[in-house]
Every structure is written in structure tokens, then in C-alpha cells.
Amino acid sequence: MKAKLAGIQYIGDSGITQECKKAVINLIHAGEKIHEAKVLTFEEPYSKAQALLLTLEYDIQTVIKGGFASGYNGEGPKGYAFVLNLLRNYTDNINEYIISKSIFERICNSSLSVKDLEYINSIKPVRPARWHDSAYLYKERELNIFSEFPLTIPMALLDKRLIKLALEFETNPDNAIMSAYRKIEDIVRERTGLSNESSTKLFAKAFQGDNSVLYWENLESGESKGRDSLFNGVFMAYRNNRAHQEPKHNLSDEIREFMLINQLFILESKAVVRKS
């Protein structure tokens, strides 16, 4: 009788450490909550091969295929240390379990049975815990683990008027950023009637002082001044430089700048027209 397959998700590629690292990164980057991480180890004579069984929200279990290793120097152990140092930021429930070669092979072939999964969930973890040793081998890289996350704009945080530009950002970030600058100026000009002003002069007349056209309700004067200064500061520090120089194509800096402009859109949306 054919074994009943376990209905779980498999991600990563067996034997390819980078793809398995990326699988863990993408789960976390997508906002998945990791409640438990089981390290599934197949012990060979001179090294160990590792896969992961992650328990996510609603007790959903996901397998990261066998792309990790320990017991020697190489990409497998480095990747294993990387994911351990990453996972320990999201769950305190990390344990290692010894499995047979046949079960490990079924993991790699995306064919765990229901009985395999029941067995894995029933066995006791390795004691004393030794995964800490593997993580510690590359502890100096711990602070750099987040540098390998995808450089993307957090769409959920965007003002809706910037969505279209954000979708074009990947292919032409400089154009998206400059268009965003022009767009916020156009919006403020239209709301204030200051059709002949631009850049810092526009924002000074729009937001500065007790006679500004736009203001923020129920704010102390210092906070209002700080918000107004943010408009002028962003344009002086970033927009003017970008308008007169060739783009340097540093994606990290470009995303940060786009998100600064996004904050200007959000502040503008909260400002109201001052009544005469």
C-alpha cells in the first residue's frame, strides 16, 4: 500500500545552499510568523546534512529542503549558520532532531509521508543542544544578516498617490523619484493657489507661520515648524542635488529617498486649508 503523502509546502532546492537561504529570507520578508524551527539532521560519517521544518501561523508546517550542512568549512555550514542566526531573531523555539537517510531523501524529493511527519513531530530533540555551536562559528556575520534581504519598497506604507510610481521604480528609480518630487509640488500648488512658486519657496508659503495657506490642526507650534522644515529639508538635501547631477544608482539610498518623499505626501494629506 502506497504511503499517504503529507500535505505540506516544500521550498528551496536540495543541495543548493543559496536557494534554501533565500527561501527562509522570503518567508520572513513576507511577514510569516515563525513559531518553531526544527533542524532535521542526517548524520554522515564526516559531516552532517540539514533541512528545516518550520511551524508558521495556524500550525502550518513548511519544509526548507536540505541545502545546509555542518562539520566542515564551506558554503553549506556558512548558510546553516546564517539561517540559525536569522531564525533566532524570530523564535526562541529552535531544536535539532536526528533523522534517517531515507527520511532526509524524502525531504529532498518533496515526498514526506504522513507517518514521516508524525515521527518527526514525536522524536526528542538533541541534548545538549549543539546548533548554537554552528551559529557561533560565523557569529561575526550576525549583524549583517539583514543586508541579504530583498531591497524593495514597502508598498503597504505608501500614500496611494505614489503607488503607480512605486510600480515603475524597479525599472527607473531616478525617474520615479523625480516624478514624485514634481507631483508633491503640483499637489501643494493646486491646493494653495501658489501657481508661480516651486521648491522651498512654495513650501515656505504653504506651511510656514501663522498665516500659511495650509496647517496641521491641534499641533503645537514646534511640531508644526518641524513638519514644515521636513519639506524644505528633503528638497534641499536630496531633490536639488538629484536634479543637477547624474544618478548614482545606489538602490538602498534610492528607496530611502523615495520613502522620505512618501512621508511628505502623508504629511500633506493631513494638512488642512486655513480659513480666512
Side-chain angles (χ1 to χ4, degrees):
M1 184 176 178
K2 197 171 183 179
K4 184 178 180 182
L5 295 178
I8 58 175
Q9 178 181 219
Y10 299 85
I11 51 180
D13 288 333
S14 299
I16 304 178
T17 302
Q18 189 59 34
E19 288 302 310
C20 293
K21 279 175 57 178
K22 190 189 299 183
V24 177
I25 289 170
N26 288 342
L27 278 176
I28 293 171
H29 193 249
E32 293 285 357
K33 292 180 172 59
I34 298 175
H35 296 298
E36 181 183 13
K38 290 179 183 282
V39 177
L40 305 179
T41 297
F42 162 51
E43 295 186 314
E44 301 179 274
Y46 302 105
S47 63
K48 303 175 185 69
Q50 275 95 8
L52 300 173
L53 178 62
L54 305 180
T55 301
L56 311 179
E57 201 168 13
Y58 309 115
D59 291 327
I60 294 172
Q61 291 191 302
T62 296
V63 168
I64 310 297
K65 289 188 174 183
F68 308 113
S70 59
Y72 65 95
N73 291 322
E75 286 305 306
K78 288 179 181 179
Y80 181 44
F82 175 93
V83 297
L84 290 174
N85 283 314
L86 179 59
L87 288 168
R88 70 201 308 184
N89 287 282
Y90 294 93
T91 179
D92 295 324
N93 195 1
I94 302 175
N95 284 292
E96 182 184 10
Y97 301 83
I98 305 301
I99 59 173
S100 65
K101 180 180 179 180
S102 59
I103 291 179
F104 193 84
E105 288 176 345
R106 286 195 287 276
I107 287 172
C108 295
N109 293 323
S110 306
S111 59
L112 281 178
S113 68
V114 171
K115 284 188 176 181
D116 289 333
L117 201 56
E118 290 173 349
Y119 170 75
I120 291 169
N121 288 325
S122 71
I123 56 178
K124 293 183 178 180
V126 173
R127 290 292 183 268
R130 59 188 184 183
W131 66 265
H132 299 276
D133 298 332
S134 294
Y136 186 78
L137 287 174
Y138 300 95
K139 192 172 176 62
E140 70 276 5
R141 301 179 61 205
E142 185 175 354
L143 296 178
N144 298 322
I145 54 177
F146 294 100
S147 66
E148 297 199 30
F149 273 55
L151 292 174
T152 57
I153 292 173
M155 302 296 283
L157 300 181
L158 288 183
D159 183 287
K160 62 183 180 181
R161 295 167 294 180
L162 282 176
I163 295 294
K164 185 177 179 181
L165 290 177
L167 293 173
E168 301 168 0
F169 186 91
E170 184 176 352
T171 55
N172 195 339
D174 183 64
N175 181 68
I177 290 169
M178 288 304 299
S179 296
Y181 281 125
R182 288 191 290 270
K183 192 176 186 70
I184 190 65
E185 287 183 289
D186 288 342
I187 290 169
V188 173
R189 273 194 289 262
E190 184 176 347
R191 291 191 67 190
T192 60
L194 299 167
S195 56
N196 295 321
E197 301 293 351
S198 63
S199 191
T200 56
K201 289 184 179 180
L202 169 65
F203 298 128
K205 290 183 178 181
F207 297 111
Q208 270 183 17
D210 295 335
N211 296 316
S212 62
V213 182
L214 300 174
Y215 78 108
W216 293 278
E217 294 180 300
N218 303 317
L219 289 187
E220 295 181 359
S221 60
E223 191 173 348
S224 292
K225 187 175 180 180
R227 290 187 177 192
D228 160 55
S229 298
L230 189 57
F231 280 85
N232 288 325
V234 170
F235 266 68
M236 291 171 65
Y238 295 100
R239 185 269 180 194
N240 294 345
N241 185 318
R242 180 173 289 277
H244 298 101
Q245 293 188 23
E246 287 294 318
K248 296 177 181 178
H249 300 298
N250 183 312
L251 184 57
S252 297
D253 288 341
E254 287 168 331
I255 291 174
R256 293 186 189 104
E257 187 173 350
F258 193 80
M259 293 308 295
L260 273 176
I261 305 168
N262 179 65
Q263 189 60 29
L264 300 186
F265 273 77
I266 291 170
L267 291 178
E268 177 279 325
S269 71
K270 294 179 179 179
V272 297
V273 177
R274 192 183 299 277
K275 296 180 180 178
S276 302

